[in-house]
Amino acid sequence: MCSLRTLLLKGKLPVSSVWSEVTRSALAKATFATGPRQNDTTLYEFRTYSIKPSMMNAFMQLSKENFHLRTAHSELVGYWTYELGGLNRVFHIWKYDSFAHRSAVRSKLAEDKLWQENYILKALPMMDKQDNEIAYLVPWCKLQKPEKEGVYEMVSFQFKPGGPAVWGESFRAAISTHVNTGYTKLVGVFNTEYGLLNQVHVLWWNESADNRAAGRHLAHEDARVVAAVRESVRFLDSQRNLLLVPAPFSPLK
């Protein structure tokens, strides 16, 4: 098969035709982009700690008494304990302006004697495991703060490879239909950057676990929700949800 360059040199293809072909090729390549460009450098670190069962109460008391030493260095979005979906675990979200900001904070924490002596040295023996992820808010979502206390649901979706360019629109539609039902409040939608790729975490607020259950039953009977969910699950590999209870010192109540 002759290349475009060969045909052009032999005079068998007009320059205008070559330019049209190059343009079509460029547009075709653009469809392989994984999604909108991430212009906001603000990132969120998700941390999950598994606590020894016999030490859970002591760990939470230690955290309540000393966590002000940690929040003096960077912004805590929220801190929760697992109620359903896991036991003896805590989950917290930290906000950073950039990776450089996070590195600077981590360096200062290592040098903070009060933090190390009053908290870290006492807390580490109480833990079994630590995990973390880095995520961005999706471009179409702003972090929201509920007006009153409640419980939180974290739903994690593992999508098929390809990024938001493949599943983003249908997923956004599914989230929007749930928001429009009014039974729950969307707090934030996060796309993982470090951790499992093609994973999205959606954080919801509900007044109570019973209100959430009642709302879900109504949503399952809403034709708009059913249609949007059926479309988005075509791209889904798995999902998991957690019921989270905010700690007394959590900014998100």
Side-chain angles (χ1 to χ4, degrees), residues 18-34 165:
V18 174
W19 178 249
S20 297
E21 183 63 28
V22 170
T23 302
R24 282 195 295 270
S25 177
L27 290 173
K29 289 180 180 179
T31 64
F32 287 98
T34 57

Side-chain angles (χ1 to χ4, degrees), residues 99 132-135 191-197:
F99 286 102
N132 72 337
E133 299 176 53
I134 294 294
N191 192 12
T192 301
E193 180 73 9
Y194 286 95
L196 286 175
L197 297 182

Side-chain angles (χ1 to χ4, degrees), residues 165-224:
V166 174
W167 42 259
E169 289 187 10
S170 61
F171 178 71
R172 180 179 182 179
I175 295 299
S176 296
T177 57
H178 278 91
V179 171
N180 292 338
T181 61
Y183 80 86
T184 185
K185 181 178 179 62
L186 180 64
V187 178
V189 182
F190 305 85
N191 192 12
T192 301
E193 180 73 9
Y194 286 95
L196 286 175
L197 297 182
N198 297 297
Q199 183 171 238
V200 179
H201 301 290
V202 184
L203 186 62
W204 301 94
W205 174 91
N206 292 278
E207 189 170 346
S208 70
D210 286 324
N211 281 358
R212 181 261 180 198
R216 290 284 290 177
H217 290 314
L218 292 175
H220 290 163
E221 299 172 356
D222 189 316
R224 297 165 299 173

Side-chain angles (χ1 to χ4, degrees), residues 80 144-155 178-179 181-188 202-209 211-213 215 242-246 250-253:
W80 300 265
Q144 303 295 320
K145 186 173 183 179
E147 297 177 355
K148 57 182 180 179
E149 296 183 7
V151 297
Y152 291 75
E153 181 181 16
M154 175 70 84
V155 187
H178 278 91
V179 171
T181 61
Y183 80 86
T184 185
K185 181 178 179 62
L186 180 64
V187 178
V202 184
L203 186 62
W204 301 94
W205 174 91
N206 292 278
E207 189 170 346
S208 70
N211 281 358
R212 181 261 180 198
L242 306 169
L243 184 66
L244 305 169
V245 177
S250 174
L252 289 180
K253 300 296 186 184

